[in-house]
Amino acid sequence: MPPDEARLASAVMQPHVLAGRPPPLPHRRRPIPLAVRATLWRTRFAVAAVFLGIAAACTVQALRPADPPTTPVVVASRPLAAGTPLTSTDVRLARFPVGVVPDDAPTDLDAVLDAATAVPLTAGTPVLPGLLADDDVRGPPGTVVATVRFADPAVAGLLSPGMRVDVLAATAEGGPGGVVATRALVLPVAQRTASAQSPLGLGGSGDDSVPVLLAVSPDEAPALAGAAASALLSAVVVP
């Protein structure tokens, strides 16, 4: 190819030659450190927010007060009805802050096994001694236990431990009855022989020797004892 034609072909392939401009510089990749710095600069606000969040979380963790000391306490592992003999499946250990645990709260499961509940317990309730009826048959704190025989022997079998009853006393002549105990708590009876049970389980059909144990206030106990000797007693279940 003649020299003139070669130069013309080169000019067509390279437009910058026809335009009188210098040839473009060859493309070179940006160095990695420079690219990293550019990326960090563009995202500087997001990076600063992340570091501020980490610093705040560390500060809160450092300033949080230490957890208070705890101690194990025996609690009911499921809802328990009054009069339930406690077994290992009925109770468990739960940790409570030391400052809120009563001094007489049991911390060992063996301390409450084989005892019976005097009142219904919900799951998670601490099993305190005042909520149990042991062999000595005790009521809640501030009460005394009275033995009552109602005029209708079947009442002994119809009342369940944990019920609250008002005790009414009426004269044998049919006079109006008076209230001798209010909201008395029915306690579980430690032993009730088969002879005291009627075929239908109504607790003493024809046998008025089956007693009902009631937890009453000390002021009500004398009136209840006097009425038992001279009046006919009946029970009214109350909330």
Side-chain angles (χ1 to χ4, degrees):
M1 178 181 297
D4 293 340
E5 292 181 2
R7 285 194 298 272
L8 180 59
S10 176
V12 172
M13 297 297 295
Q14 304 180 37
H16 62 277
V17 175
L18 295 177
R21 297 196 303 269
L25 296 174
H27 177 71
R28 291 189 302 175
R29 299 186 64 178
R30 182 180 300 178
I32 293 179
L34 182 60
V36 171
R37 289 197 297 270
T39 301
L40 291 177
W41 178 255
R42 288 194 299 268
T43 60
R44 61 188 182 278
F45 296 111
V47 173
V50 171
F51 280 104
L52 285 176
I54 295 174
C58 294
T59 302
V60 171
Q61 184 68 22
L63 296 179
R64 191 184 70 173
D67 294 334
T70 60
T71 184
V73 176
V74 179
V75 300
S77 59
R78 60 183 183 87
L80 301 173
T84 302
L86 297 179
T87 65
S88 58
T89 61
D90 300 321
V91 292
R92 62 180 177 85
L93 289 177
R95 302 200 69 86
F96 283 77
V98 174
V100 301
V101 177
D103 294 336
D104 57 350
T107 59
D108 186 5
L109 295 179
D110 293 337
V112 301
L113 295 183
D114 298 329
T117 56
V119 295
L121 300 179
T122 58
T125 302
V127 185
L128 301 178
L131 304 179
L132 300 177
D134 55 17
D135 294 338
D136 297 331
V137 186
R138 294 178 300 177
T143 65
V144 295
V145 178
T147 302
V148 178
R149 289 180 172 86
F150 293 104
D152 184 357
V155 173
L158 296 174
L159 296 178
S160 299
M163 285 185 173
R164 294 279 182 174
V165 297
D166 288 348
V167 180
L168 308 180
T171 62
E173 294 77 14
V179 179
V180 292
T182 58
R183 288 186 53 77
L185 176 65
V186 180
L187 298 176
V189 178
Q191 293 181 348
R192 183 173 291 179
T193 60
S195 61
Q197 298 284 350
S198 71
L200 297 180
L202 295 180
S205 175
D207 183 359
D208 59 1
S209 64
V210 179
V212 175
L213 298 181
L214 298 179
V216 299
S217 68
D219 296 335
E220 293 173 330
L224 186 58
S230 59
L232 301 177
L233 300 182
S234 60
V236 177
V237 178
V238 296

